[in-house]
């Protein structure tokens, strides 16, 4: 993986990440393909939108179909037929958030499958092994994601364990030698909303010389001011030559704020999950397309949007399909939302290249609060 | 609607139906878009497969979103954004088969919505009105579809009521004058498995000079020999210049048998419904792709199939997606099955044009029973 910084607009960065599979302009948003598919979409559609990088979840793929099966079938790219880049997370977040956790100790986490209750264990070592077997371009070490709120004492414990596990992950990864497909193992900064812990965590992780840095444990329910404060503390201390990935973020507003502070990579289930609930993202804010007022609305969701849903289908029809539970409705809504996110990232990048990010952000934010009546 | 007979191969017919919306080569299979969408597919995909005609269900669209709303939004074609031809059924079959029926008398059927239990009534007149409001190219009169088995006496009663309602339907339709969009009202032959009733029903209906003839009440569980006997009795008595539509049929084998006897039009939920259950149609029979033996199978469903699913995705991946319940899996399976059906119809038509239908059918049937191990 090679990261090149192309332009800056204040702290906001435009860069290029080159992997064995694709060239990724940053800031980048990764559509989430939890179980090897971005829900309701095909890879052809993602390609047609210019997506260069998607995320898949180690926890889910480890349980079904299993990393060994994926390896036998030639790795994750070939298995899911996605020839561009993939990032896999460490599985830790799912173990904690899906209430699957049984016990945690310095050597790893024991958990039960949310599917069949079977017992499993993730360790820093086997999580690296699993991700090396699957062969994603970007992989993550097992970490402890402190929920919000977490006491200073507990957060420090989680953070220290995260550092310990990062050490073991990098050791394991480097012992294995360079795999056939080159992979970039990032390090994940934890420390909840405590600046000193975040900085101390970062300092320890930088000793491992990771190719990229992830920021975990934000976007877990903390006040937006706390998130901003942590990012403002952390980002200036990060070496400029490493891409920075803010895990699990977020709304369009969240992304704009984080880009402004210098984040390069994002992922979130929001565009696809909201789509399936009938909430569509537009320049002028969110449209609850299932609302009765759209029942006879012949206009596309956004008349200026060139996505396949807006090019062919009315709000009335999409509303009908979602109301009666047609899969085609979930597809059209998901297409629109993913297009919106990816298009927003392109616009962000252009603004950074033109050194006009501040103005772009101000306009974009002003539009977002205008309300969809403007459409 | 204009129907032109292009070629025959024995009783098997190749024709062309021209509507205001498209030119339809026959024999034709209509993908079923019950509620205005063929499940899991978009109209772009159907267009790319060359589909010229889809079916939608009057019962479902009448309940949601309602024919009046569809009319206000410019008719069904515009509402669902499908610029080619549409056939709507009469709603009668759903009223009977969804156990919605409350009472039936010579004036119509009273039923309760399967969604909210609300009470409704279909009459020959309002079913014509509803379908005229929606504006499909082909519309059907309200009929009584006798289940199998039905006694001779009961079947005669259903058949007579079907004729009575057909009379009233054509009267209503012709009273309304030619609508903006020209529509073809077919007549539906009933009479269960009783030849004399079928012939007598046909004779009465022909007095109405319908532009096309539907055969209802078959493919409802009767032995295949009974179906064949009825078709062999009925088809030679049908004027060759009217297209013949065998409602609700069927499997690939059923379609080949019926084409052989002279049927021109088909519809069935089988390709889409089976797809969602993980059963894929192939040249060599049905593949239960969810079976464990496909878990590590890197081949496409059919290596020679040019459909978007087979061009990009393995049996292993499709199996995985269907096993974990990913919408993308339902899409890939549905794409394959609809492609299979539409492609089969093209091959059938070519064979009729080449006057080699018998040989084609023998080969096709022989392959179908070979088993998917041949793939």
């Amino acid at each position: 993986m090679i990261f090149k910084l192309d332009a800056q607009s204040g702290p906001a960065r435009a860069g290029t990440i080159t992997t064995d599979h694709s060239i990724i302009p940053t800031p980048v948003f990764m559509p989430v393909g939890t179980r090897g598919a971005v829900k309701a979409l095909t890879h052809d559609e993602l390609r047609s939108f210019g997506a260069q990088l998607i995320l898949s979840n180690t926890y889910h793929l480890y349980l079904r179909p299993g990393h060994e099966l994926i390896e036998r079938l030639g790795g994750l790219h070939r298995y899911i037929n996605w020839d561009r880049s993939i990032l896999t997370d460490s599985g830790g977040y799912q173990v904690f958030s899906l209430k699957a956790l049984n016990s945690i100790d310095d050597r790893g986490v024991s958990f039960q499958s949310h599917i069949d209750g079977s017992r499993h264990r993730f360790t820093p070592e086997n999580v690296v092994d699993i991700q090396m077997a699957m062969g994603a371009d970007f992989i993550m070490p097992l970490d402890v994601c402190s929920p919000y709120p977490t006491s200073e004492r507990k957060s420090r414990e989680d953070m220290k364990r995260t550092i310990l596990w990062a050490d073991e992950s990098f050791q394991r990864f480097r012992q294995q030698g360079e795999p056939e497909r080159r992979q970039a193992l990032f390090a994940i900064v934890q420390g909840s909303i405590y600046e000193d812990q975040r900085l101390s965590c970062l300092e320890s992780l930088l000793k491992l010389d990771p190719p990229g840095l992830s920021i975990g444990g934000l976007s877990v329910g903390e006040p937006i001011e706390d998130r901003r404060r942590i990012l403002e503390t952390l980002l200036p201390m990060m070496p400029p030559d490493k891409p920075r990935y803010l895990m699990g973020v977020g709304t369009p507003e969240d992304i704009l704020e984080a880009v402004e502070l210098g984040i390069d990579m994002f992922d979130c289930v929001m565009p696809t999950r909201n789509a399936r609930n009938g909430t569509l993202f537009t320049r002028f804010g969110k449209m609850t397309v299932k609302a009765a007022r759209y029942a006879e609305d012949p206009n596309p969701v956004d008349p200026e949007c060139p996505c396949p849903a807006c090019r062919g289908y009315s709000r009335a029809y999409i509303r009908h399909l979602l109301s009666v539970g047609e899969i085609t409705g979930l597809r059209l809504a998901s297409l629109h939302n993913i297009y919106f996110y990816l298009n927003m990232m392109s616009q962000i990048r252009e603004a950074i290249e033109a050194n006009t990010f501040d103005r772009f952000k101000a306009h974009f934010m002003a539009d977002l609060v205008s309300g969809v009546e403007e459409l």
Side-chain angles (χ1 to χ4, degrees), chain A residues 146 148-156 159 190-200 226 229-230 233:
Chain A
S146 308
Y148 180 83
T150 293
S151 73
E152 208 164 338
R153 204 179 59 81
K154 181 65 173 65
S155 164
R156 185 172 300 277
M159 183 269 280
Q190 292 288 353
S192 189
I193 58 165
Y194 308 107
E195 284 111 319
D196 58 331
Q197 295 187 20
R198 288 281 181 180
L199 287 172
S200 141
D226 284 317
R229 184 170 47 80
I230 292 299
T233 305

Side-chain angles (χ1 to χ4, degrees), chain A residues 80-370:
Chain A
I80 71 172
N81 188 37
W82 172 253
D83 54 0
R84 299 184 179 174
S85 301
I86 304 175
L87 182 149
T88 46
D89 64 3
S90 71
Y93 181 78
Q94 277 71 32
V95 169
F96 295 109
S97 67
L98 290 171
K99 312 276 177 231
L101 187 66
N102 276 325
S103 68
I104 178 169
D105 58 68
D106 273 347
R107 297 295 313 128
V109 287
S110 297
F111 62 97
Q112 285 186 274
S113 158
H114 73 291
I115 303 158
D116 61 7
S118 56
R119 289 171 185 279
H120 302 267
R121 188 164 168 83
F122 277 162
T123 65
E125 290 81 8
N126 78 1
V127 162
V128 164
D129 293 347
I130 291 166
Q131 291 181 91
M132 289 185 82
M134 296 198 293
D137 302 274
F138 304 87
I139 64 177
M140 300 293 135
L142 189 65
D143 64 326
V144 185
C145 179
S146 308
Y148 180 83
T150 293
S151 73
E152 208 164 338
R153 204 179 59 81
K154 181 65 173 65
S155 164
R156 185 172 300 277
E157 184 189 319
D158 293 347
M159 183 269 280
K160 291 215 174 278
R161 194 165 268 155
T162 295
I163 296 170
L164 174 69
W165 289 356
D167 269 331
E168 293 170 350
S169 302
F170 276 81
Q171 215 172 318
R172 179 69 164 201
F173 183 66
R174 284 165 179 165
Q175 272 168 3
Q176 301 296 311
E178 199 69 2
E180 194 191 337
R181 290 199 174 86
R182 278 169 293 179
Q183 299 180 290
L185 174 63
F186 278 32
I188 305 177
V189 181
Q190 292 288 353
S192 189
I193 58 165
Y194 308 107
E195 284 111 319
D196 58 331
Q197 295 187 20
R198 288 281 181 180
L199 287 172
S200 141
C201 187
L202 174 63
E203 196 185 337
S204 299
L205 296 175
L206 284 176
K207 291 180 189 145
L208 300 168
D209 191 27
L213 289 160
S214 304
I215 302 172
L218 291 181
S219 193
V220 294
E222 76 285 354
I224 192 159
E225 302 74 35
D226 284 317
R227 186 192 313 169
R228 192 172 176 97
R229 184 170 47 80
I230 292 299
L231 291 178
E232 282 173 342
T233 305
L234 214 41
L235 287 166
M237 306 310 288
M238 289 189 169
D241 61 340
K242 295 181 195 293
R244 302 142 177 193
Y245 165 29
L246 182 55
M247 304 178 91
V249 169
T251 64
E253 296 88 333
D254 289 340
I255 289 176
L256 283 163
E257 295 281 358
V259 165
E260 183 176 41
L261 300 173
I263 294 287
D264 307 301
M265 301 169 70
F266 300 90
D267 80 284
C268 194
V269 296
M270 193 171 280
T272 42
R273 181 174 293 165
N274 276 7
R276 298 196 305 283
N277 295 332
T279 300
L280 300 183
F281 290 95
T282 82
R283 298 172 281 150
F284 297 122
K286 288 190 272 187
M287 175 181 288
T288 311
V289 75
K290 281 168 83 174
R293 68 178 167 285
Y294 298 118
E296 303 204 19
D297 191 331
N299 298 303
V301 170
D302 179 347
E304 292 186 18
C305 174
C307 87
C310 290
R311 273 203 323 265
Y313 303 95
S314 66
R315 297 169 187 171
Y317 181 59
I318 294 174
R319 174 187 187 271
H320 163 65
L321 294 180
L322 291 172
S323 300
V324 301
E326 283 287 342
I327 295 168
T328 309
L330 306 177
R331 286 185 57 183
L332 296 175
S334 300
L335 278 170
H336 173 81
N337 276 358
I338 288 290
Y339 182 88
F340 177 85
Y341 264 69
L342 296 180
N343 182 250
M344 175 179 76
M345 300 314 291
S346 298
Q347 292 179 274
I348 287 174
R349 198 187 139 91
E350 276 173 35
I352 297 170
E353 285 174 324
N355 199 13
T356 56
F357 179 74
D358 283 354
R359 201 169 58 205
F360 169 82
K361 181 189 166 219
H363 284 157
F364 201 97
M365 295 288 236
D367 280 350
L368 275 183
V369 296
S370 312

